[in-house]
Amino acid sequence: MTKYCVAYANLFDNEIIQKVVEATDKLDAVVVAGHATTEEKQSWSNIEEMEQYFFDGDSLISVIELQ
């Protein structure tokens, strides 16, 4: 497992939440951090689609791998 930092910002209250999680990949890290469900993850085939999904819901998300 790899460590990731997941940063989430809701554009309604302009609050940024960052969580460090262990996951198998970046898409899974969003689910482990609690910002999406497994069913939502299945609709994304890459990071760009995941980011667009959150943007369409008036939020932003970023996932980086920690070393």
Side-chain angles (χ1 to χ4, degrees):
M1 291 253 199
T2 306
K3 282 190 178 184
Y4 295 95
C5 179
V6 180
Y8 172 83
N10 180 329
L11 298 178
F12 290 111
D13 48 6
N14 297 320
E15 200 172 301
I16 297 173
I17 300 168
Q18 294 181 329
K19 292 184 182 178
V20 175
V21 298
E22 288 189 8
T24 56
D25 60 26
K26 287 184 176 184
L27 296 178
D28 189 43
V30 176
V31 175
V32 173
H35 298 299
T37 65
T38 304
E39 291 79 23
E40 290 170 314
K41 177 190 167 198
Q42 292 172 350
S43 68
W44 315 321
S45 60
N46 56 48
I47 296 296
E48 291 79 19
E49 287 182 8
M50 183 261 306
E51 290 173 344
Q52 186 63 47
Y53 173 83
F54 280 92
F55 185 76
D56 291 344
D58 293 327
S59 58
L60 302 171
I61 197 155
S62 179
V63 181
I64 59 168
E65 184 177 337
L66 301 177
Q67 300 202 27

